[in-house]
Amino acid sequence: MRTAPTILHLDMDAFFASAEQASKPSLRGKAVVVGGLGPRGVVSTCSYEARVFGVHSAMPMAQARRLAPNAAYLVPRFGIYREVSEQVMGLLQALSPLVEPLSLDEAFVDLEAGEAAWDEASARLTGVKLRADIRAVTGLTGSVGLAASKMLAKIASEQAKPDGLVLIEPGTERALLGPMPVRTLPGVGPATGDHLRRAGITTVQELAEAGEDELVRLLGKSHGHALYAMALARDDRPVVAERETKSVSVEDTYDVDIHDRVRVGLEVQRLADRCVQRLRGAGLSGRTIVLKVRRYDFSTLTRSETLRGPTDDPGVVREAAARLLESVDTTGGVRLLGVGVSGLADYTQEDLFAQAQAAAGELAAQEHMEEEVAEGAVEEQVPLTERRWSAGHDVRHAEFGHGWVQGSGLGRVTVRFETPYSEPGRVRTFRADDPGLEPAEPLPLVAETVGHHREG
């Protein structure tokens, strides 16, 4: 571990929900919940105002609605999240050639490699400037942790939330970690935490005092060695700029399109099991579950969900694939299905998934969704009467301009007309097949970037 706090961990604050609040003036300062809105939907991200009511990521959406019935519930807009993420990652790459993205809203940076910091004072100045640049470019806030290792930098950014900066001075790590709960350490989930608690170990200091041999006896060789090292604040992992993108996947093409939703679900479960067989055969596990669906019109959709840690558990993969299928409309028929696992590793963190049978589990629920529309499958081909107006998504009306969908049903759609740069706008209701209403591209969150925004 190095002797200066030059590893930076950035975590954008309530990223999806914050982006929605920045985009929608009427939601600023209010409870916002982003995720799947179907019967089996899961909270992806929620604003800090929603967390006051007990809502949190990975919670079943039905439970969130009971806790915060007056919150705004929105379907994710991954296009705008990816654009903002690219802006943030660009700022990080200007600091150092060694940037390790973990997700759309989280990354490690080796400041020393970019000569952006070499001691405590320069690291702190760099972190302060980065946070200011992120706010200026995106309008959003991020929390920064600075330390001499990746593990400690991540712990520091958690302490900094929301919208803060925490620097852990080299030499103070053991004193800082000692009184913290064991769950603070990466890889210690509910099952491992309970196992340690039954052994009388509840803090990181008690973990260190137990000794390496005892931890190996309690948790097994790999996990025991790793946790003992972390309890002593040892973490020599480098920031890795290039990460392998290989994956393990299986798919089937059907001679006759499948229309029965139940059969589609069963096929996805079967493919998930086959995928796990290949995964285990290669001695691998993975963090990201991917579902691929090619529909009757040759449009190809992919949906993915990233877990907190790698798994090769068939139950976890099946459940994740089933959740992803919930967000795909298969009404017209399906001609190809595929299930894959990426973000591969040669180990698992099984404790993170001990509650896999629960609706929420220990899943991160920061779904990263991508749509690849194949030849000829464009929005204009969908009859107006069949359009789905997703809550939170952008629309444009021929008379009233840009707005977003507040809700829809019973042949009606309610739209609030406002932009990121306007005052809270007025609400109007239209017929779902109103010819003047059409889907629109998201607007940039900061007005100064409008001229650089891609045309829809």
Side-chain angles (χ1 to χ4, degrees), residues 94-262:
L95 294 176
S96 172
L98 293 183
V99 176
E100 183 178 341
L102 303 179
S103 61
L104 288 178
D105 60 344
E106 185 181 2
F108 287 110
V109 185
D110 188 329
L111 298 178
E112 188 175 27
E115 299 183 351
W118 50 92
D119 59 12
E120 180 184 336
S122 58
R124 188 180 295 276
L125 284 173
T126 298
V128 169
K129 183 178 185 301
L130 173 64
R131 291 179 58 239
D133 289 345
I134 288 173
R135 185 186 289 272
V137 171
T138 70
L140 305 180
T141 64
S143 294
V144 167
L146 292 156
S149 71
K150 289 168 72 171
M151 178 189 78
L152 291 166
K154 184 171 175 62
I155 289 173
S157 70
E158 286 295 321
Q159 291 185 319
K161 282 186 166 293
D163 191 20
L165 182 151
V166 168
L167 182 148
I168 298 177
E169 299 178 17
T172 68
E173 297 94 346
R174 290 285 302 277
L176 177 78
L177 285 177
M180 290 184 174
V182 293
R183 289 287 303 276
T184 303
L185 298 179
V188 181
T192 298
D194 287 345
H195 193 51
L196 291 170
R197 180 179 52 78
R198 287 193 294 271
I201 300 172
T202 60
T203 68
V204 176
Q205 178 63 34
E206 291 168 347
L207 202 62
E209 291 172 350
E212 190 168 16
D213 291 343
E214 176 65 7
L215 294 181
V216 167
R217 186 186 70 79
L218 286 170
L219 304 172
K221 187 175 180 180
S222 177
H223 208 22
H225 286 312
L227 274 189
Y228 183 68
M230 286 190 284
L232 299 180
R234 296 174 186 166
D235 179 17
D236 295 322
R237 294 173 300 156
V239 175
V240 182
E242 297 298 328
R243 313 182 93 196
E244 290 189 73
T245 57
K246 62 182 180 178
S247 62
V248 172
S249 62
V250 295
E251 62 182 42
D252 277 345
T253 301
Y254 305 99
D255 295 330
V256 178
D257 291 356
I258 303 175
H259 291 82
D260 180 28
R261 182 75 176 184
V262 173

Side-chain angles (χ1 to χ4, degrees), residues 29-54:
K30 298 182 179 179
V32 174
V33 181
V34 180
L37 302 188
R40 297 180 61 190
V42 174
V43 174
S44 180
T45 313
C46 60
S47 68
Y48 287 96
E49 294 87 353
R51 297 179 192 189
V52 172
F53 298 99

Side-chain angles (χ1 to χ4, degrees), residues 327-409:
S327 66
V328 179
D329 181 9
T330 61
T331 306
V334 171
R335 58 178 55 231
L336 177 147
L337 289 168
V339 174
V341 177
S342 61
L344 301 182
D346 56 1
Y347 66 96
T348 62
Q349 290 176 287
E350 295 175 0
D351 63 289
L352 292 178
F353 310 109
Q355 299 178 5
Q357 300 305 313
E362 272 293 301
L363 304 180
Q366 277 205 2
E367 299 101 334
H368 305 312
M369 181 187 303
E370 294 189 6
E371 294 192 5
E372 301 168 354
V373 182
E375 299 83 357
V378 295
E379 177 68 30
E380 284 73 8
Q381 291 183 331
V382 181
L384 290 173
T385 53
E386 295 181 13
R387 280 190 179 167
R388 294 181 177 229
W389 302 104
S390 298
H393 281 220
D394 297 83
V395 294
R396 177 170 293 279
H397 192 272
E399 179 180 353
F400 302 106
H402 190 94
W404 57 278
V405 176
Q406 277 203 331
S408 62

